Amino acid sequence: MGFMSHSFAQDKVEIDVFASKVKNAGETGKYKLPARDPEVPKPAKSRGDCCTFTNNTGFTVYFWVDTKFRGSIAPWGEMNVCFNNGDETWYMMTVGATYEWKGNATCPRHINIRGIKP
């Protein structure tokens, strides 16, 4: 039996994504909250990247992947997300549609959601 000296903690990569103010609420119209409980299909075995989103704000944020609602993250909470092959973008918006965050459906393992950059 061999000993593995590699630490997965060394592979941890984090990025910070800062909020921007929602400029045109009409543009956010494609991001709809479901009228009933959405069932998300089981990811394919050949799914894409998985990562953790940490909400470092005092706001509840809604989360979509390619305009499909995936859930919400409580203030100061976390959400683990696995992207399916073919997913292109992720988008978050505060409950009151004041702030938004967005990015490509790839991840470095950990994404920190932050308020407006000082």
Side-chain angles (χ1 to χ4, degrees):
M1 181 182 336
F3 176 73
M4 199 164 129
S5 64
H6 181 76
S7 168
F8 288 102
Q10 294 170 348
D11 289 344
K12 187 174 183 181
V13 177
E14 293 188 25
I15 64 168
D16 292 334
V17 179
F18 291 92
S20 59
K21 284 206 171 237
V22 173
K23 294 178 182 137
N24 180 355
E27 290 178 13
T28 64
K30 65 183 174 182
Y31 299 100
K32 307 236 185 265
L33 292 175
R36 54 183 160 66
D37 294 334
E39 183 174 353
V40 177
K42 182 178 179 180
K45 289 186 184 211
S46 62
R47 65 180 174 224
D49 295 335
C50 295
C51 60
T52 301
F53 286 83
T54 300
N55 180 2
N56 291 296
T57 75
F59 300 104
T60 296
V61 296
Y62 293 134
F63 187 87
W64 291 266
V65 174
D66 290 342
T67 70
K68 294 176 187 79
F69 183 72
R70 294 285 285 273
S72 61
I73 308 174
W76 314 109
E78 290 187 343
M79 180 180 197
N80 294 316
V81 175
C82 290
F83 296 109
N84 293 317
N85 287 334
D87 288 342
E88 294 182 12
T89 61
W90 59 264
Y91 178 81
M92 290 185 199
M93 180 174 50
T94 55
V95 173
T98 304
Y99 300 106
E100 65 184 354
W101 300 261
K102 49 189 153 186
N104 294 325
T106 58
C107 57
R109 290 194 184 76
H110 198 116
I111 297 176
N112 295 306
I113 302 305
R114 303 209 181 266
I116 300 253
K117 194 169 188 170

